[in-house]
Amino acid sequence: MPRSTRSSSASASFRPESQPVAWRPSRWVIVALLLLSMLAPFAVLASEMPRIAAWPLAGAAAIVGLRAALKETRKPRHHLEVPARGQGRALLDGMPLAEATLSWRGPLAFLRWRDEAGRGGRLSWWPDTLPPAQRRVLKLWSPDGPGMAP
């Protein structure tokens, strides 16, 4: 008699204690900023702007785009400790957050927070920075995460 195969145990187990989620600058954003900084001068030069004003503006557009890309690469990494739902406050780099809101726009996750001193901030996770296991942790923590469909 043939033996039946075991059912798959490939799903990740969920631990109710707090779990870490790492944040780093997205390579996709950096590449997009670099691409825009290269294309912006061509857009300015292709406009009907007088050439005497277009050339300095094209140079300025390239410089501003390169500075934005450089600023993005220099952003520090962050570590978010996500508690089990209803089990306390989230920690960002070891500091408790007084208020934290996580929202989703397709594959992008956006965290807005306010710390105990009242300072606010935000982070966004792009698909290249959020592995599936950490995506699941954030989905389970967020109020608009998985649940029953209306």
Side-chain angles (χ1 to χ4, degrees):
M1 179 184 308
R3 289 184 141 199
S4 63
T5 59
R6 262 175 112 184
S7 63
S8 173
S9 62
S11 64
S13 60
F14 177 70
R15 299 176 312 211
E17 66 268 6
S18 66
Q19 296 185 19
V21 178
W23 181 89
R24 65 175 173 81
S26 171
R27 291 184 196 109
W28 292 4
V29 172
I30 295 166
V31 168
L33 289 170
L34 288 172
L35 184 62
L36 287 173
S37 71
M38 289 187 294
L39 295 176
F42 293 113
V44 171
L45 294 173
S47 70
E48 292 184 11
M49 181 179 283
R51 292 289 177 223
I52 193 147
W55 282 103
L57 185 60
I63 290 170
V64 168
L66 290 173
R67 288 184 68 200
L70 185 61
K71 183 179 176 184
E72 187 69 24
T73 60
R74 292 183 176 172
K75 286 185 177 179
R77 293 175 181 250
H78 294 286
H79 296 281
L80 176 69
E81 284 285 330
V82 178
R85 199 176 281 197
Q87 298 294 322
R89 289 197 250 173
L91 301 173
L92 184 67
D93 296 332
M95 303 292 290
L97 300 179
E99 182 181 325
T101 305
L102 185 70
S103 59
W104 293 87
R105 301 288 181 264
L108 305 177
F110 299 95
L111 175 69
R112 295 187 194 285
W113 78 84
R114 192 160 302 282
D115 64 9
E116 292 179 337
R119 291 182 304 261
R122 64 179 185 242
L123 294 175
S124 60
W125 281 271
W126 284 61
D128 69 324
T129 62
L130 193 59
Q134 291 183 354
R135 177 176 299 280
R136 182 173 185 268
V137 167
L138 286 179
K139 285 267 190 195
L140 290 171
W141 180 60
S142 70
D144 57 342
M148 298 294 290

